[in-house]
């Protein structure tokens, strides 16, 4: 009973914090599906990554807040609907409600079949920006979690190395812990500029941060 009561208190405290969260309220007001939109917004506004006319790939896109933000950045009027100057390809293991102008693929990025479907949509065109909010289900076992995190980020890195333009960028969610330092090193091996970023919208208690790589080293010729 004590455990159950404590759990209820924890859940109630989390719900209270969530309901009163500034970014949750802002997301509701501005029509974003989650507060995560403001993480990408701050990164993008600071570094100027996403520009009209870009081809952007959103990895781990559900529920769609990052795709929504990108869609507004590629709209001449910054609108959530209407004209779109650019292309957005999104994918996730989980279903995602449609976002106007976004082509969505349902599937596992770790599987060759999904990657092949994504490459068909690319039709040989280079990607300007890859954004990855992919994260594994964490077990609490540090070594296992570090391996799962590393695998997803490495897949995003490999995709970016192959498909980004020479001046393209990758934004990837990572977590502080055993996998962090090796991933930073891998980013530096692959990108000319690497910047860790902890957006204000990322909760203080969360170990998440974002690694941004800009300018692909040894990019393949188009």
């Amino acid at each position: 009973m004590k455990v159950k009561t404590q759990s209820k208190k924890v859940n109630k405290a989390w719900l209270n914090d969530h309901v009163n969260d500034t970014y949750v309220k802002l997301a509701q007001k501005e029509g974003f599906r989650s507060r995560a939109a403001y993480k990408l917004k701050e990164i993008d506004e600071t570094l100027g990554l996403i520009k009209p006319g870009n081809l952007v790939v959103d990895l781990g896109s559900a529920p769609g807040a990052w795709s929504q933000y990108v869609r507004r950045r590629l709209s001449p009027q910054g609108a959530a609907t209407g004209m779109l100057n650019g292309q957005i390809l999104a994918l996730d293991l989980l279903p995602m409600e449609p976002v106007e102008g976004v082509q969505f693929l349902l599937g596992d990025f770790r599987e060759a079949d999904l990657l092949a479907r994504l490459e068909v949509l690319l039709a040989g065109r280079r990607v300007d920006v890859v954004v990855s909010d992919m994260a594994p289900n964490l077990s609490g076992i540090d070594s296992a979690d570090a391996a799962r995190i590393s695998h997803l980020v490495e897949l995003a890195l490999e995709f970016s190395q192959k498909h980004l333009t020479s001046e393209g960028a990758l934004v990837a969610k990572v977590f502080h812990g055993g996998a962090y330092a090796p991933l930073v090193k891998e980013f530096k091996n692959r990108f000319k500029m690497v910047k860790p970023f902890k957006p204000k919208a990322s909760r203080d208690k969360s170990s998440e941060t974002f690694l941004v790589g800009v300018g692909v080293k040894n990019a393949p010729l188009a």
Side-chain angles (χ1 to χ4, degrees):
M1 285 295 291
K2 288 180 72 176
V3 173
K4 189 175 181 180
T5 302
Q6 185 178 7
S7 177
K8 283 184 177 179
K9 286 181 179 178
V10 170
N11 290 338
K12 188 175 181 181
W14 180 89
L15 185 60
N16 184 64
D17 288 346
H18 182 75
V19 169
N20 293 300
D21 184 281
T22 300
Y23 291 103
V24 171
K25 291 180 178 178
L26 196 57
Q28 292 170 344
K29 179 182 178 182
E30 297 188 342
F32 287 114
R33 295 177 185 176
S34 80
R35 66 195 301 285
Y38 300 99
K39 301 174 188 178
L40 182 58
K41 183 175 188 286
E42 184 179 343
I43 294 169
D44 178 45
E45 289 181 345
T46 301
L47 300 176
L49 302 176
I50 302 168
K51 302 176 179 67
N54 279 175
L55 168 54
V56 181
V57 174
D58 183 0
L59 306 176
S61 58
W66 278 22
S67 284
Q68 286 180 304
Y69 172 75
V70 174
R71 195 254 177 270
R72 296 185 193 193
R73 286 289 290 125
L74 299 185
S75 167
Q77 305 301 324
T81 59
M83 190 180 296
L84 183 66
N85 180 12
Q87 184 179 7
I88 308 163
L89 305 178
L91 61 91
D92 203 297
L93 266 171
L94 301 173
M96 185 179 88
E97 288 295 319
V99 175
E100 184 178 310
V102 176
Q103 292 174 276
F104 176 72
L105 293 174
L106 178 66
D108 190 337
F109 189 60
R110 295 169 295 184
E111 300 295 332
D113 173 65
L114 182 68
L115 188 57
R117 289 161 58 203
L118 178 56
E119 290 178 337
V120 167
L121 292 180
L122 290 176
R125 184 180 167 190
R126 292 273 173 224
V127 179
D128 297 289
V129 183
V130 175
V131 295
S132 173
D133 202 24
M134 293 189 296
N137 291 324
L138 300 179
S139 66
I141 302 171
D142 289 345
S143 59
D145 289 341
R148 290 171 182 165
I149 293 164
S150 293
H151 183 53
L152 289 176
V153 178
E154 285 164 3
L155 288 175
L157 280 164
E158 289 171 12
F159 176 81
S160 298
Q161 181 90 42
K162 183 177 180 181
H163 293 286
L164 279 176
T165 66
S166 59
E167 296 306 313
L170 166 64
V171 179
K173 177 160 71 178
V174 298
F175 295 89
H176 283 284
Y180 183 72
L183 287 174
V184 172
K185 182 178 180 181
E186 191 61 30
F187 261 74
K188 289 181 177 179
N189 287 338
R190 294 176 184 257
F191 290 98
K192 298 169 187 174
M193 185 197 86
V194 177
K195 183 175 178 61
F197 211 103
K198 177 77 170 178
K200 295 183 182 69
S202 184
R203 299 184 195 275
D204 293 337
K205 296 176 183 177
S206 173
S207 66
E208 76 171 7
T209 191
F210 295 86
L211 288 177
V212 183
V214 182
V216 181
K217 292 181 180 179
N218 304 315
L221 297 175

